[in-house]
Amino acid sequence: WLWLTGLSVMVLVSVVNYLQLHRRLQTALPWRGEIYLADGIEMPFVLGIVSPRIYLPSGMPKEERRYIVAHERHHIRRLDPLWKLLGYVSLCIHWFNPLVWLAFSLAGKDMEMSCDEAVIRHLGPEIRADYAQSLLRLSTGRSTLHGMPLAFGEGDTKGRVKNMAKWQRPKLWVSIACIALCVIIGLVCALNPEEE
């Protein structure tokens, strides 16, 4: 009963937050394709699994939109909204386990840093300063819907800015070595030695 109570509270809080967010987004106006501008939000985020939409604050400067949209589109391409939802479902089921909370938090940070790196790789390292400035301006230190949507300003802002500052394009030999290591580990784990 205690586990069921914790599960119910987490689901209820998420549903209430989602409904509140949905109410704020009813006045959102389409801008380009899947991108909407909304008055009732402070930071950009992706919402939806089947046909995800990108929501931007309507007061966001136009010069910032290019790389923030690139960041959010990278989330959509990698199916991050689905993975984040599955992670949140696991968190609801294992709400009592601090390791699951830690894993959920670290996975969210990794998603954000990976998208930051993808934007820099795609748009060029010269946008780093402006991109970091936007991140600091939009950062609130909390997620919009208790971890469910992917919000641009969520996560470890200081760590993300540091990661962008020291980011370098990975060398080809490092990528090849990592792939080879993964293949070797996979083959070793697939082996099933005969028992004596």
Side-chain angles (χ1 to χ4, degrees):
W1 286 109
L2 181 62
W3 170 79
L4 196 57
T5 302
L7 174 68
S8 303
V9 166
M10 289 198 63
V11 170
L12 183 64
V13 167
S14 297
V15 168
V16 168
N17 283 331
Y18 178 80
L19 292 174
Q20 288 175 346
L21 182 63
H22 186 68
R23 193 178 317 120
R24 281 190 284 164
L25 295 175
Q26 284 181 339
T27 58
L29 299 172
W31 182 49
R32 289 182 185 165
E34 79 283 14
I35 305 166
Y36 286 74
L37 300 176
D39 288 332
I41 58 173
E42 301 101 28
M43 59 185 169
F45 58 88
V46 175
L47 187 63
I49 304 295
V50 177
S51 54
R53 292 179 174 180
I54 298 171
Y55 290 94
L56 304 176
S58 52
M60 174 181 287
K62 288 188 179 179
E63 59 272 11
E64 289 184 357
R65 291 179 186 175
R66 180 172 68 111
Y67 38 85
I68 291 176
V69 166
H71 175 102
E72 302 302 345
R73 281 187 171 150
H74 195 70
H75 277 307
I76 293 170
R77 268 195 303 277
R78 285 192 328 193
L79 302 177
D80 283 349
L82 175 63
W83 294 118
K84 195 118 185 203
L85 178 63
L86 292 174
Y88 191 77
V89 168
S90 300
L91 189 65
C92 288
I93 293 169
H94 298 278
W95 60 267
F96 55 88
N97 189 338
L99 293 178
V100 178
W101 285 89
L102 179 64
F104 183 76
S105 172
L106 293 176
K109 288 177 185 177
D110 284 347
M111 280 181 191
E112 294 304 321
M113 285 186 183
S114 174
C115 286
D116 293 339
E117 291 170 4
V119 170
I120 293 168
R121 188 169 51 247
H122 179 67
L123 298 178
E126 63 276 2
I127 67 149
R128 266 192 266 212
D130 292 336
Y131 188 78
Q133 184 92 18
S134 296
L135 179 61
L136 291 168
R137 190 178 67 76
L138 293 166
S139 175
T140 61
R142 61 178 176 80
S143 59
T144 309
L145 183 58
H146 290 279
M148 289 184 71
L150 295 155
F152 177 77
E154 75 176 341
D156 176 22
T157 306
K158 184 178 176 183
R160 286 174 65 187
V161 170
K162 281 184 176 179
N163 186 56
M164 280 190 283
K166 66 181 182 180
W167 180 84
Q168 296 176 13
R169 187 176 296 277
K171 293 182 171 50
L172 181 61
W173 71 268
V174 173
S175 300
I176 292 170
C178 289
I179 291 169
L181 183 63
C182 289
V183 169
I184 291 168
I185 290 172
L187 289 173
V188 169
C189 291
L191 293 176
N192 191 10
E194 292 182 15
E195 293 184 14
E196 293 183 10

